Amino acid sequence: MTWRPQYRSSKFRHVFGKVATKESCYDGVPITRSVQDNNFCSVNPRFLAVITECAGGGAFLVLSVHHTGKLDPLHPRVSGHKGNVLDIKWNPFNDCCIASCSEDTTVKVWEIPPHGVFKTITVPWKELQGHSRRVGLIEWHPTANNILFSTAYDYKVMIWNLDSPEQVIKNPVRTISHHTDVVLSMSFNTDGSRLATTCKDRKIRLMEPRSGTLLQEANCKTHRAGKVIILGNLKLMLTTGTSRWNDRQIVLWDMDDMSVPLLEENLDGSSGALFPFYDPDTHMLYLAGKGDGNIRYYEISSEKPYVHYLTEFRSISPQKGMGVMPKRGLDVSSCEVFRFYRLVTIKSLIEPLSMIVPRRSESYQEDIYPMTAGNKPALTAGEWMSGVDKGPTLMSLKPGNQEAESYSELSKGNGNSLDSRRSPLQLSYIQDGNSVPGGDRSPLSNGDDPGLCSPPKTESELRLKFLKQQEEIRRLRELLNQRDVRIKQLELEMKNIRNSQTSL
């Protein structure tokens, strides 16, 4: 009997990481020196937010994703916290809404102007007061609008309903008190009906988030879990942490029976925390270590051996944290399936890293871009509180079929109280991005009419005008690139139709 090597066919076997050029990176960013094991960065298709180092209170930067290059040291920030900011997360259904938590025991939700931050923001849209100690983690519900989870060093997980009319909310709708020590991470499944947490008491808990009912609890003596992530709808859960010999390891769990892990695998002897990232569309798992320069990636299956190693990206520059672009912000014309934003502290640099499936064809690859979670909520906060669970609203990434951006869609009446405070004139301008209120003015995205605007009088005004013009130029270039890609795709489709007709 001849020996045959085990070979597993996979369309993602040759995925590689492509680092952005120096001009496409964000240089001169004063990244925070906090030792918290968080990502310190959050990204959506419009903005990039990163926690920065500052004296007196806490602050973070909000940059346009196209505002690459050298950062102005005097760039305005979002600075309303009295203590260091520990975590930030963009609202998945509103690209202009971001939440932050801090050592000052509060969670604040901010409204970011659609065209960027041109002056320092100090007044939040909502302030959440309920924790008694510093707040270390926040997470948005994946399908319900305006539902936010927070956990602090008081060992409690609190659920907040942002549809509440008060500007300062002091009473959460639910407080979960199962934990006996600091919560290290939180993760939802696809429809948000399950919440998994890891805790410093070494226990891994699986809960029903609405009621806080504890469903499963695991306490593995050979594994100290640090981070947890639920692997989509596979009924599997993965934790990263250390073994009893302080080796970094990953452990796979069955969500229906967490008495014994399905898989334990030691990786290396490094000491940095391992951050897991999972793409439910491609079933790919990425592992990025704090202080590492490499990113390992695997393919997950529902059958043994469950985890299939693919390869790894390597760099000489260590990363402190990672931001991840939502799928709707990827470049499908280059077969990009995932994009990281690596925080390289030693260079004060944010470095985009694209994970690309090598394909020769320039047409849209439907097999690697299935329907994915979009920017519309499946539920309102009230529906979720009443006991309804629903999967995410799906969208296609095919050019021309994408849903409108979240800001304009939510302002049309999806029940987002953040946008309902705007005047009809402002809403009509936001919904129609190609016109400015008031006659036949030129379609500038920054809303400035050259016939009405006075020339800048100070250096700061001149800088703001320059940034607005740069943003307009970037936006127009991006629009032209998208049109070029669409033209090429239509030409290829017409050519294929003609070839099929001639063959008949």
Side-chain angles (χ1 to χ4, degrees):
M1 182 177 179
T2 58
W3 177 82
R4 294 181 180 179
Q6 290 185 352
Y7 178 80
R8 183 175 178 274
S9 174
S10 172
K11 68 183 73 173
F12 305 108
R13 186 176 181 85
H14 301 290
V15 170
F16 66 95
K18 182 179 180 181
V19 180
T21 60
K22 182 72 173 179
E23 294 76 18
S24 300
C25 295
Y26 307 82
D27 195 10
V29 181
I31 301 168
T32 179
R33 292 195 289 268
S34 172
V35 295
Q36 191 89 358
D37 285 336
N38 287 342
N39 289 316
F40 305 120
C41 180
S42 187
V43 191
N44 66 30
R46 181 175 288 184
F47 295 117
L48 178 146
V50 58
I51 302 174
T52 59
E53 189 67 24
C54 64
F60 59 93
L61 276 171
V62 175
L63 306 172
S64 167
V65 290
H66 308 298
H67 188 181
T68 55
K70 189 74 173 178
L71 178 70
D72 183 357
L74 302 178
H75 192 284
R77 307 186 188 189
V78 181
S79 56
H81 284 286
K82 297 178 182 178
N84 291 331
V85 177
L86 300 180
D87 196 15
I88 50 176
K89 293 281 170 47
W90 287 105
N91 187 334
F93 312 118
N94 187 348
D95 288 347
C96 296
C97 177
I98 187 170
S100 63
C101 64
S102 168
E103 291 181 351
D104 63 8
T105 73
T106 64
V107 178
K108 297 186 179 184
V109 185
W110 308 86
E111 181 181 9
I112 304 300
H115 305 300
V117 178
F118 295 112
K119 64 179 181 179
T120 299
I121 300 176
T122 58
V123 180
W125 172 54
K126 297 282 185 182
E127 182 172 340
L128 315 179
Q129 300 176 358
H131 290 287
S132 60
R133 299 184 65 184
R134 58 179 176 175
V135 187
L137 286 172
I138 48 177
E139 286 289 345
W140 294 92
H141 192 278
T143 61
N145 194 28
N146 284 338
I147 294 292
L148 182 66
F149 286 66
S150 65
T151 180
Y153 280 65
D154 56 8
Y155 312 156
K156 295 177 181 178
V157 177
M158 293 186 177
I159 308 173
W160 307 89
N161 180 3
L162 302 186
D163 283 343
S164 176
E166 297 89 5
Q167 195 268 336
V168 177
I169 305 175
K170 296 186 177 181
N171 297 315
V173 295
R174 179 80 59 191
T175 300
I176 302 174
S177 304
H178 296 302
H179 304 88
T180 60
D181 211 325
V182 178
V183 178
L184 300 176
S185 68
M186 297 187 291
S187 177
F188 288 96
N189 65 343
T190 304
D191 62 2
S193 62
R194 295 291 182 267
L195 171 67
T197 63
T198 55
C199 183
K200 209 170 180 180
D201 62 7
R202 296 196 177 193
K203 292 183 179 180
I204 305 158
R205 294 173 175 87
L206 185 66
M207 295 171 282
E208 200 283 318
R210 187 184 299 104
S211 63
T213 305
L214 186 63
L215 304 176
Q216 296 274 344
E217 186 176 271
N219 187 6
C220 184
K221 295 182 180 179
T222 61
H223 176 66
R224 186 189 297 114
K227 302 293 179 182
V228 62
I229 189 167
I230 297 179
L231 304 179
N233 288 323
L234 295 178
K235 293 287 185 180
L236 297 176
M237 188 168 65
L238 183 129
T239 58
T240 63
T242 57
S243 68
R244 63 172 62 185
W245 308 112
N246 282 335
D247 290 329
R248 291 197 299 192
Q249 66 176 184
I250 57 174
V251 175
L252 194 67
W253 304 86
D254 183 354
M255 292 175 59
D256 294 328
D257 181 13
M258 295 174 57
S259 58
V260 179
L262 297 176
L263 173 73
E264 292 185 57
E265 181 176 338
N266 290 354
L267 299 179
D268 55 38
S270 299
S271 58
L274 272 177
F275 297 103
F277 303 92
Y278 180 67
D279 181 1
D281 299 333
T282 60
H283 301 294
M284 288 184 65
L285 171 72
Y286 302 87
L287 296 178
K290 184 177 180 179
D292 295 355
N294 64 327
I295 299 175
R296 302 176 177 89
Y297 34 105
Y298 305 77
E299 193 169 3
I300 306 296
S301 64
S302 56
E303 301 176 351
K304 289 184 178 181
Y306 304 111
V307 180
H308 307 273
Y309 176 74
L310 295 174
T311 183
E312 67 177 336
F313 163 81
R314 293 183 179 182
S315 170
I316 60 173
S317 303
Q319 63 239 359
K320 183 183 180 69
M322 310 283 283
V324 174
M325 175 67 77
K327 294 299 286 284
R328 56 192 172 91
L330 300 181
D331 181 12
V332 297
S333 63
S334 63
C335 297
E336 183 183 30
V337 292
F338 216 75
R339 188 190 303 165
F340 292 101
Y341 286 79
R342 302 175 63 238
L343 305 186
V344 184
T345 311
I346 60 175
K347 297 181 180 180
S348 298
L349 187 74
I350 302 179
E351 181 183 76
L353 171 65
S354 299
M355 312 307 295
I356 295 176
V357 180
R359 295 284 174 93
R360 292 183 179 178
S361 175
E362 295 183 357
S363 61
Y364 179 72
Q365 306 293 310
E366 294 189 6
D367 61 322
I368 62 176
Y369 295 116
M371 297 288 284
T372 188
N375 52 12
K376 285 186 176 181
L379 300 167
T380 64
E383 290 172 340
W384 183 79
M385 293 301 301
S386 65
V388 180
D389 286 321
K390 196 173 181 181
T393 302
L394 301 180
M395 66 179 290
S396 172
L397 297 181
K398 189 172 184 178
N401 292 344
Q402 297 184 16
E403 299 174 357
E405 291 186 0
S406 63
Y407 196 88
S408 57
E409 285 296 322
L410 286 172
S411 62
K412 291 179 182 177
N414 277 340
N416 192 323
S417 58
L418 177 65
D419 297 332
S420 63
R421 299 180 290 130
R422 297 183 176 273
S423 66
L425 178 63
Q426 288 174 308
L427 290 179
S428 63
Y429 170 47
I430 294 169
Q431 291 171 14
D432 185 7
N434 297 323
S435 63
V436 179
D440 298 327
R441 300 178 188 173
S442 60
L444 296 177
S445 68
N446 56 21
D448 290 338
D449 188 348
L452 297 178
C453 292
S454 59
K457 299 178 181 178
T458 64
E459 184 179 352
S460 60
E461 290 182 3
L462 182 63
R463 186 184 297 111
L464 291 180
K465 293 288 184 185
F466 173 74
L467 291 174
K468 287 182 179 181
Q469 290 179 354
Q470 291 294 103
E471 178 65 24
E472 178 68 17
I473 293 171
R474 292 189 186 95
R475 188 186 70 83
L476 292 175
R477 284 176 178 170
E478 182 184 12
L479 185 62
L480 285 174
N481 291 334
Q482 291 176 353
R483 296 287 169 84
D484 291 341
V485 170
R486 184 59 180 161
I487 290 171
K488 289 181 181 179
Q489 291 176 344
L490 290 174
E491 289 176 349
L492 288 171
E493 290 178 5
M494 291 177 62
K495 185 176 180 180
N496 292 334
I497 293 173
R498 288 171 184 166
N499 292 337
S500 61
Q501 290 177 348
T502 55
S503 62
L504 292 175

